[in-house]
């Protein structure tokens, strides 16, 4: 084990065996002397059992007065300081354990933990199920040779991320949460193309690596799919209700009727209610309308006609100020400037000083995926 991956510790979990009669006499405040290799330090014990049985192995948390360089499988001896007397010993199970409620393994499980590095790895992975275990810590925590770590990890079935390992149970638990969040989002936002990835991850409330592994496995299995910043159930298609369809038709009618000066999103909300923003995004994905500015959508054919008029009336390379462009297009500055900024973003026009030029090449007629950025 390389030095940088073997850090001293002053708290670890171990299988401890005490001499007959000692279990009931010890409390978490009893100070002992712990001997491990050439090191001797003060120590205290906390048992998983309310009263550890004397002469029987028990899982305990060991806290030392000074850090020790130990690893899984290392043995140690426990002594009373005065009068000096050996009262038991143990085997290190997890040298980097955290404070937590201790589990209650059976006698057979304790025997395996004492004897097998694979059992210690499984125990550590379960203890750190939500946090993960750094892969480079496995030789120290499981107590195996570095060359054996790869095979040991494979036998454990652990899922690996960039740095950490997680149990299959932890991954499956997160996958269940992904299914729940997506299903709930489909109910609350039936017109959406999926759950925003950020919303999904915030809802999971787990380690980023664990979330990555779980989502990746679901994608590989064809259960979910990612589309840019959105995640959805594979094959999901928005399903507007009859009421949504009716409201959508009203929105399209009002936007078309406005021609070059359509109503704002705020005005449409005041007419048809809070579902308007979601319906507008749905209509845009269908290609029926295009978002030109944050608060305004245009009918697609109307917008195409406006762009066509620019290309017909303007001379490429010549600079036109807003007043000239207003005369060409025939609508007020309130609508003109956002429209010109839309054309700039889509490569139709280019700003030059106080005016704009029509680009000779490039530019798109309309691409709703780039209509507003």
């Amino acid at each position: 084990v390389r030095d940088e991956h073997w850090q001293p510790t002053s708290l670890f979990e171990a299988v401890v065996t005490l001499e007959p009669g000692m279990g009931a006499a010890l409390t978490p405040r009893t100070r002992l002397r712990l001997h491990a290799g050439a090191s001797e330090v003060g120590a205290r014990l906390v048992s998983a059992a309310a009263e550890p049985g004397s002469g029987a192995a028990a899982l305990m948390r060991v806290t030392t007065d000074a850090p020790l360089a130990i690893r899984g499988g290392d043995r140690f001896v426990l002594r009373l300081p005065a009068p000096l007397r050996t009262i038991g010993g143990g085997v290190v199970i997890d040298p980097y354990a955290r404070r937590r409620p201790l589990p209650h393994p059976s006698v057979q499980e304790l025997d395996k933990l004492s004897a097998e590095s694979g059992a210690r790895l499984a125990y550590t992975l379960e203890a750190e199920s939500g946090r993960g275990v750094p892969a480079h810590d496995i030789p120290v925590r499981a107590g195996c040779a570095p060359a054996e770590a790869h095979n040991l990890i494979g036998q454990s079935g652990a899922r690996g991320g960039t740095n950490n390992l997680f149990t299959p149970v932890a991954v499956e638990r997160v996958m269940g949460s992904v299914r729940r969040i997506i299903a709930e989002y489909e109910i609350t936002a039936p017109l959406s193309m999926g759950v925003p990835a950020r919303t999904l991850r915030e809802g999971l409330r787990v380690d980023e690596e664990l979330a990555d592994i779980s989502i990746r496995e679901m994608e590989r299995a064809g259960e979910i799919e990612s589309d840019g910043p959105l995640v959805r159930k594979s094959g999901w298609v928005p399903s507007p209700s009859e009421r949504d369809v009716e409201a959508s038709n009203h929105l399209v009618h009002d936007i078309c009727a406005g021609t070059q000066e359509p109503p704002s999103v705020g005005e449409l909300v005041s007419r048809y209610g809070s579902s308007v923003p979601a319906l507008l995004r749905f209509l845009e994905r269908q290609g029926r309308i295009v978002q030109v500015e944050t608060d305004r959508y245009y009918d697609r054919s109307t917008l195409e006609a406006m762009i066509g008029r620019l290309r017909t009336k303007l001379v490429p390379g010549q600079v036109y100020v807003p007043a000239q462009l207003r005369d060409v297009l025939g609508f007020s500055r309130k609508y003109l400037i956002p429209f010109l900024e839309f054309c700039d973003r889509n490569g139709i026009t280019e700003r030059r000083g106080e005016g704009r030029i029509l680009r000779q090449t490039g530019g798109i007629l309309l691409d709703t995926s780039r209509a507003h950025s």
Side-chain angles (χ1 to χ4, degrees):
V1 179
R2 290 180 292 179
D3 291 343
E4 67 267 25
H5 294 159
W6 196 348
Q7 302 298 321
T9 179
S10 57
L11 188 150
F12 60 92
E13 291 175 7
V15 174
V16 176
T17 304
L18 299 173
E19 286 189 351
M22 289 305 304
L26 297 181
T27 72
R29 294 180 178 274
T30 303
R31 304 193 69 83
L32 304 172
R33 301 302 296 175
L34 184 147
H35 299 258
S39 300
E40 178 184 351
V41 294
R44 288 171 292 170
L45 306 178
V46 174
S47 174
E51 185 176 308
S54 299
L59 181 66
M60 298 192 185
R61 180 168 59 244
V62 182
T63 306
T64 60
D65 295 341
L68 288 172
I70 54 175
R71 65 178 193 160
D74 282 357
R75 295 183 176 275
F76 57 89
V77 174
L78 293 169
R79 291 176 177 157
L80 286 173
L84 188 61
R85 173 189 167 193
T86 299
I87 61 168
V91 179
V92 177
I93 303 305
D94 183 1
Y96 299 153
R98 295 179 296 106
R99 292 188 183 276
R100 62 177 183 127
L102 291 170
H104 295 78
S106 66
V107 174
Q108 293 77 15
E109 289 171 331
L110 290 173
D111 289 342
K112 291 186 69 174
L113 287 171
S114 298
E116 301 176 13
S117 56
R120 290 191 289 272
L121 173 57
Y123 175 86
T124 302
L125 287 169
E126 179 60 31
E128 302 282 11
S129 60
R131 295 169 175 258
V133 177
H136 60 66
D137 281 350
I138 297 305
V140 174
R141 298 186 79 159
C144 66
E148 299 172 355
H150 181 75
N151 288 337
L152 204 63
I153 292 169
Q155 293 167 8
S156 73
R159 306 294 200 272
T162 305
N163 300 303
N164 297 319
L165 302 171
F166 299 88
T167 64
V169 172
V171 173
E172 183 56 45
R173 187 161 52 239
V174 175
M175 290 167 66
S177 296
V178 171
R179 296 183 188 102
R180 174 183 56 78
I181 292 171
I182 290 177
E184 290 175 352
Y185 203 84
E186 289 175 357
I187 295 171
T188 58
L191 299 179
S192 173
M193 288 298 292
V195 185
R198 181 174 180 179
T199 300
L200 174 61
R201 289 176 179 275
E202 289 175 350
L204 292 174
R205 297 180 182 177
V206 297
D207 180 271
E208 281 293 318
E209 267 193 287
L210 180 54
D212 288 340
I213 293 169
S214 304
I215 292 171
R216 185 170 63 244
E217 290 202 5
M218 295 180 76
E219 288 176 337
R220 287 175 179 170
E223 188 173 348
I224 62 173
E225 58 189 19
S226 295
D227 181 11
L230 300 176
V231 181
R232 58 176 172 259
K233 185 169 60 180
S234 293
W236 163 254
V237 177
S239 52
S241 64
E242 291 184 9
R243 183 177 179 180
D244 290 333
V245 172
E246 182 180 357
S248 297
N249 291 334
H250 284 302
L251 292 173
V252 171
H253 174 271
D254 288 9
I255 291 171
C256 289
T259 60
Q260 299 178 145
E261 299 182 353
S264 68
V265 174
E267 291 169 332
L268 293 171
V269 168
S270 67
R271 296 176 193 175
Y272 302 111
S274 60
S275 64
V276 163
L279 290 170
L280 290 172
R281 290 191 294 270
F282 177 68
L283 290 169
E284 184 180 30
R285 289 196 300 271
Q286 289 186 319
R288 298 171 69 181
I289 60 175
V290 179
Q291 187 176 23
V292 169
E293 57 177 307
T294 303
D295 196 43
R296 205 173 306 277
Y297 289 78
Y298 281 68
D299 170 65
R300 187 182 186 89
S301 59
T302 299
L303 191 58
E304 287 175 344
M306 293 162 63
I307 294 170
R309 194 178 313 148
L310 270 183
R311 287 180 165 162
T312 301
K313 299 291 185 180
L314 302 190
V315 177
Q318 181 175 329
V319 178
Y320 293 84
V321 297
Q324 294 172 301
L325 294 169
R326 183 181 58 206
D327 293 339
V328 169
L329 294 169
F331 50 85
S332 70
R333 187 181 181 89
K334 173 182 176 181
Y335 299 91
L336 174 68
I337 299 304
F339 169 69
L340 293 176
E341 291 173 347
F342 169 85
C343 291
D344 293 343
R345 289 194 300 272
N346 287 280
I348 299 163
T349 57
E350 181 179 328
R351 187 160 187 167
R352 291 286 179 85
E354 296 298 319
R356 284 174 171 80
I357 64 169
L358 178 69
R359 297 187 64 175
Q360 293 182 335
T361 58
I364 56 173
L365 184 57
L366 279 183
D367 181 349
T368 55
S369 67
R370 292 177 52 193
H372 185 74
S373 59

